[in-house]
Amino acid sequence: MADSVDGRGRRALGALALLAVPAVIAAVPLVPLAALLGPGGLALVPLGAPGGLLAAAVIGPVVSALLGPVLVDRRIARLPNAELDDRRSDFVADRVEALAADVGVEPPEIHPVRADAANVAVADGYRGSRLVVSTRLLALPKADRDAALRHALVRLRTRQALLTTATLPALAAVETAALFATLLVGRRGDRTAADRRVNRIHGYEPDRERVPSWAYAAAGVLCWLLLLPAWLPATVGDRLAVAGGRRAADALVSRAGAEEREGLGNAVAFAGDAAGAGDWPPLLDRLSFVSMADAETGRVRGTSRQEARTRLARLRSKRAL
């Protein structure tokens, strides 16, 4: 389970890919604007399109990093509060504080939420670190619960939570656009010729040509082509940095001891197989202990639907020991 040089290199490449996503999005308005204002246009600025690219490489990630914590905080505010009593709330705070001291990070702000998913998410940024933990995860046995919490705190220490939070607005925008394009490509006419004939008989469907399904498919393909420059680095970042960061945190938690390793494996197995994945906010998925993305979202990201099982196999492999 040692963190190899190859693994660190893959995660570094994934981090660059994640940072490229907001830069690509920012380049859409900035490059034409810089070309218009540059020497080939109004000659108001010394650089043209290359200057726009340079500005996008700086402004895109900075704006995304500023919006990331705000976006996460707004989503957390809409989650159902767990409403723990004082005794249980103090117990959770004490456990997180003890684990944070063991990991070597400042204890984050804790948000217990009422959710069926046995999951925990960690976010970081200029607004401070936040830990969103479900009541179902808190109900797990001590070793399993503590291992999952330790995993979140390790991702906080390795700055994976900071990177993901900073790029989350751009990733969410790309994912939403990709889902929309996929919906257009797969759209088909819902009504058959017989349905339309019956509707016309009853007088509530005018006899006119509807938008054909091929037009939706063509619009979806066009959206995908326009989206590819941002979707490709987002997919690489998801696979190498986000999923790879979770596996790296698995290795660090496993080094704490056999009990932590076994508890982590149990928590991954339970969170991956238990019902309630639909109860976990999709926006927090990339910040979470276990990915809860549904099949459609997973395909749009290009991530493996077997991530939890692969992690579990590595945790329980004698060779990995």
Side-chain angles (χ1 to χ4, degrees):
M1 294 291 289
D3 191 13
S4 66
V5 175
D6 180 62
R8 289 194 296 270
R10 288 166 61 87
R11 292 197 302 278
L13 178 61
L16 291 176
L18 289 181
L19 292 172
V21 178
V24 170
I25 294 175
V28 173
L30 290 179
V31 171
L33 181 62
L36 176 64
L37 298 178
L42 300 178
L44 297 179
V45 294
L47 296 177
L53 285 174
L54 181 61
V58 175
I59 294 175
V62 169
V63 172
S64 183
L66 291 174
L67 293 178
V70 177
L71 186 64
V72 170
D73 285 350
R74 288 172 64 89
R75 188 63 187 88
I76 292 174
R78 298 200 303 269
L79 294 175
N81 193 283
E83 297 178 355
L84 302 179
D85 56 51
D86 292 341
R87 182 183 62 83
R88 196 174 182 199
S89 180
D90 291 342
F91 170 75
V92 174
D94 288 343
R95 287 308 304 149
V96 171
E97 184 176 356
L99 290 169
D102 192 27
V103 172
V105 297
E106 289 294 323
E109 182 181 350
I110 305 171
H111 298 272
V113 297
R114 191 170 62 253
D116 290 332
N119 214 338
V120 56
V122 61
D124 198 10
Y126 64 92
R127 289 193 169 193
S129 55
R130 274 91 64 211
L131 193 73
V132 183
V133 56
S134 71
T135 49
R136 193 171 191 184
L137 185 131
L138 293 175
L140 292 181
K142 174 182 179 296
D144 305 358
R145 177 202 66 216
D146 284 0
L149 293 174
R150 184 187 293 271
H151 189 277
L153 295 170
V154 165
R155 285 183 286 123
L156 191 63
R157 191 189 74 185
T158 58
R159 305 294 185 185
Q160 189 210 353
L162 179 65
L163 172 67
T164 310
T165 305
T167 56
L168 194 59
L171 293 174
V174 170
E175 184 175 314
T176 302
L179 286 170
F180 176 71
T182 302
L183 178 65
L184 288 177
V185 171
R187 185 181 176 94
R188 294 294 182 270
D190 295 329
R191 296 170 181 164
T192 65
D195 293 331
R196 290 193 293 271
R197 181 173 57 82
V198 170
N199 288 343
R200 285 196 299 273
I201 290 173
H202 288 280
Y204 56 79
E205 179 167 347
D207 190 5
R208 67 174 185 270
E209 289 293 329
R210 293 183 175 272
V211 178
S213 58
W214 64 262
Y216 285 110
V221 170
L222 178 61
C223 288
W224 264 114
L225 292 176
L226 295 175
L227 188 62
L228 277 179
W231 179 78
L232 288 174
T235 301
V236 172
D238 269 330
R239 181 65 66 90
L240 300 184
V242 178
R246 277 193 278 255
R247 290 193 298 270
D250 288 345
L252 292 174
V253 172
S254 298
R255 292 176 190 172
E259 183 180 0
E260 286 78 3
R261 179 190 180 92
E262 183 177 356
L264 183 62
N266 293 337
V268 170
F270 184 81
D273 295 335
D279 195 32
W280 193 247
L283 184 68
L284 300 182
D285 189 76
R286 291 181 172 91
L287 300 167
S288 300
F289 164 59
V290 173
S291 174
M292 295 281 169
D294 57 34
E296 191 65 37
T297 306
R299 283 193 293 269
V300 164
R301 294 182 191 176
T303 55
S304 171
R305 286 179 285 175
Q306 305 297 324
E307 180 189 335
R309 294 180 182 178
T310 302
R311 291 171 60 194
L312 185 60
R314 288 168 59 88
L315 284 167
R316 294 179 173 173
S317 168
K318 293 182 179 180
R319 182 179 180 182
L321 286 171

